[in-house]
Amino acid sequence: MGGDWGTPGYRAGVTGSTPDWAGMAEANEREGRRKRLLRVGLGLAGALALGGIVVAAVVVQGSGGTTPSADHLPAMSASASSPASGSASSPAGAQSVTPSATASGAGDGLSLGPAAQVGSVDGHNGPALTVLGHSDGYAEADSTGVDTATSFTVSAMVRNDASAQPKAAVSEGGDAFFSLYLGREDYSTATRDRWVFKVQTAAAAGNSVMALSTTPAAIGRWTTLTGVYDAKARTISLYVDGALAQTTPVPHILPANGPIEIGRARYKSHWADAWNGSIADVQVWAQSLAPTQVAQLARTRSADIPAQATWLRF
């Protein structure tokens, strides 16, 4: 029988029907190698195709196609140099400041925050603290201010450069809340944009008693604010440029164990209401000044009774 030349296992030039076992083994080995190479090639091609899909997806996402929006990113806490919650930036045309040559600028027992500056300010004769509504713009006295269990008076010349939000010019309190607060109120419709002298009666929210101005808080103008607590009459009074604005009954005042703070106040264990503008002539008395004495203070920047403590004075 003639050999089948197209069938593996039969060698060329050999007649007869006897299988060529060596040839068959060699052919089988070649076929196995071919199949293995084919599988490897197909696997490599698949991997390259998948890699191309991944690269394309990365490129699309990097171009903004599927990047999460800022609304879904976690909120970032404010840094020390960023504006505090509720603060306003300084408006155009705010006062210029000539820095003092001394480190603190006042030399009267004040520690300044990193964003606070003391120097000469337009419209005021003497040193003034200037801050821009930042959480690190403040000055802190080196000693405790007044005893809120007895009569006292607190006064300051202020320039307000904020058009909104409550702002603390002078305060004193404890770790959780202020006890006294002199500045600008803007919390509700009833207290919108008013000068304020307020006190805290308990260490919890909703326990403030206020004495408010009847006219809006001036912007960009120096104003003398004076708060008086009469322990015998149990009243607080606010004076604006020496004139009585309001007297309000108060049962008592939360004890204060901290120093005088200039440019900020303590509320719910956080610093709040960072001042935006300038503050000067901060004075406290361990007694309630009479209306005539407050009027004199507004005219001459001094009362006939020496203050218990002063900061940012001549």
Side-chain angles (χ1 to χ4, degrees):
M1 181 183 299
D4 185 356
W5 302 106
T7 302
Y10 288 86
R11 298 179 64 182
V14 177
T15 60
S17 59
T18 302
D20 184 356
W21 302 112
M24 292 175 64
E26 183 179 349
N28 286 334
E29 184 178 354
R30 284 197 305 269
E31 182 66 13
R33 285 198 300 268
R34 185 181 68 84
K35 291 181 179 179
R36 287 195 298 272
L37 289 173
L38 180 60
R39 287 195 298 269
V40 171
L42 291 174
L44 180 59
L48 290 174
L50 180 60
I53 294 172
V54 172
V55 170
V58 171
V59 171
V60 171
Q61 183 169 355
S63 66
T66 57
T67 302
S69 67
D71 294 337
H72 297 94
L73 296 177
M76 298 178 65
S77 58
S79 64
S81 60
S82 62
S85 175
S87 67
S89 59
S90 181
Q95 76 274 23
S96 62
V97 182
T98 302
S100 171
T102 63
S104 70
D108 48 11
L110 285 180
S111 299
L112 301 184
Q117 189 175 17
V118 172
S120 300
V121 178
D122 294 346
H124 177 74
N125 180 23
L129 174 77
T130 296
V131 288
L132 301 177
H134 294 178
S135 59
D136 55 358
Y138 64 88
E140 183 178 84
D142 294 344
S143 59
T144 302
V146 299
D147 180 3
T148 56
T150 62
S151 297
F152 67 85
T153 301
V154 57
S155 182
M157 288 189 68
V158 303
R159 171 171 167 151
N160 165 52
D161 289 338
S163 59
Q165 302 297 327
K167 300 294 177 183
V170 182
S171 72
E172 184 185 12
D175 294 335
F177 285 87
F178 66 85
S179 297
L180 64 92
Y181 179 122
L182 185 67
R184 181 184 189 276
E185 185 64 32
D186 195 24
Y187 182 73
S188 66
T189 302
T191 62
R192 183 76 66 214
D193 189 23
R194 294 290 185 265
W195 297 121
V196 67
F197 175 50
K198 61 183 176 179
V199 296
Q200 193 80 359
T201 60
N207 287 276
S208 294
V209 176
M210 303 182 188
L212 295 162
S213 67
T214 57
T215 57
I219 297 176
R221 181 175 67 82
W222 284 98
T223 303
T224 300
L225 300 180
T226 305
V228 177
Y229 172 55
D230 187 329
K232 183 177 181 180
R234 292 190 175 181
T235 60
I236 59 172
S237 299
L238 171 68
Y239 294 80
V240 180
D241 287 332
L244 177 63
Q246 186 178 32
T247 297
T248 306
V250 60
H252 57 271
I253 300 177
L254 182 70
N257 56 17
I260 288 288
E261 301 286 345
I262 304 175
R264 65 179 182 176
R266 199 72 172 169
Y267 189 72
K268 292 183 178 180
S269 302
H270 293 86
W271 294 115
D273 301 355
W275 188 260
N276 187 346
S278 297
I279 306 169
D281 284 6
V282 178
Q283 304 180 75
V284 296
W285 290 261
Q287 65 185 86
S288 56
L289 294 185
T292 55
Q293 295 169 325
V294 175
Q296 176 187 343
L297 176 64
R299 290 194 308 270
T300 67
R301 299 170 62 183
S302 297
D304 57 5
I305 298 175
Q308 174 189 345
T310 65
W311 300 272
L312 301 165
R313 290 280 286 161
F314 305 102

